[in-house]
């Protein structure tokens, strides 16, 4: 089975910090799609949105996601595809093409959190997130609206963990337990 673990979910649900902890626990490399986009564009995400618009950012995101998901490298010892923890931006799953590419690469894990927890974690840093400042709506209203828009997309993940009341370590434990259960179910279904 494709070995990668893909961490996705709404902004401020803990993807980056959990991805780092998960990669450390598994001793796997970590790949951050937004960091690759920023390095490739030579601009921050707010700059990409401001200068070129959301459609351009989504095109870059799709391109990088497809490349990372395709990763043709194999383990030199066992010949299996190489494992990695892949961290994505919060909007990746909204495009079914990204979902399809990532689902082929491994198990998609969606982190979520209660809207008020997300608003608290974002605090005054909303300006770094162009999707939240759009329309000039109050932060909590915009968060609720965007979560609702993406509900179906997030529901397509194989595994979901609510991080609202968990420590990073507890989230990592929950992910590993649920991914193991998901994999054994998928394995039994294909046997
Ligand atoms: C986005 C989330 C951001 C970043 C971009 C768009 C979104 O990543 O990819 O601002 O559409 O939800 P984080 O979820 O890591 O903040």
């Amino acid at each position: 089975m494709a070995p990668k673990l893909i961490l996705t979910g709404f902004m401020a649900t803990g993807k980056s910090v959990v991805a780092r902890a998960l990669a450390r626990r598994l001793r796997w490399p970590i790949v951050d799609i937004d960091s690759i986009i920023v390095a490739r564009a030579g601009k921050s995400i707010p700059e990409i949105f401001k200068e070129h618009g959301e459609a351009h950012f989504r095109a870059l995101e799709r391109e990088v996601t497809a490349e990372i998901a395709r990763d043709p490298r194999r383990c030199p010892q066992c010949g299996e595809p190489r494992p990695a923890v892949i961290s994505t931006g919060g909007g990746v799953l909204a495009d079914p093409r990204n979902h399809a590419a990532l689902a082929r690469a491994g198990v998609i894990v969606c982190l979520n959190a209660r809207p008020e927890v997300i608003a608290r974690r974002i605090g005054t840093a909303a300006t770094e997130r162009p999707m939240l400042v759009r329309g000039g709506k109050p932060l909590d209203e915009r968060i609720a609206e965007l979560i609702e828009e993406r509900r179906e997309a997030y529901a397509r993940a194989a595994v979901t963990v609510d991080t609202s009341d968990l420590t990073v370590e507890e989230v990592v434990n929950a992910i590993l337990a649920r991914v193991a259960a998901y994999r054994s179910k998928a394995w039994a279904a294909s046997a």
Side-chain angles (χ1 to χ4, degrees), residues 21-84:
L22 190 59
R24 245 192 333 268
R25 176 86 71 90
L26 294 167
R27 297 173 194 235
W28 286 4
I30 182 167
V31 180
D32 185 281
I33 289 183
D34 276 351
S35 305
I36 298 174
I37 295 171
V38 167
R40 208 169 273 186
K43 291 174 184 167
S44 69
I45 290 177
E47 281 168 348
I48 300 172
F49 270 77
K50 191 158 169 258
E51 293 172 26
H52 308 283
E54 184 185 357
H56 181 73
F57 173 78
R58 297 299 171 201
L60 289 175
E61 183 175 60
R62 206 161 47 242
E63 179 185 299
V64 174
T65 301
E67 269 172 42
I68 296 303
R70 210 180 298 125
D71 184 8
R73 293 169 306 165
R74 303 273 160 191
C75 162
Q77 275 92 37
C78 64
E80 292 292 320
R82 289 168 40 131

Side-chain angles (χ1 to χ4, degrees), residues 9-12 15-16 34 45 49 57-58 61 88-91 128-131 146 150 154:
F10 201 79
M11 290 166 267
K15 297 182 296 284
S16 304
D34 276 351
I45 290 177
F49 270 77
F57 173 78
R58 297 299 171 201
E61 183 175 60
T88 81
E128 289 158 30
R129 293 179 156 103
M131 292 302 290
L146 204 48
R150 294 178 175 174
Y154 290 146

Side-chain angles (χ1 to χ4, degrees), residues 164-185:
S164 303
D165 303 312
L166 301 181
T167 64
V168 172
E169 206 193 331
E170 287 168 338
V171 175
V172 168
N173 292 339
I175 290 172
L176 292 174
R178 284 176 213 179
V179 167
Y182 173 81
R183 283 203 156 123
S184 61
K185 224 164 72 192

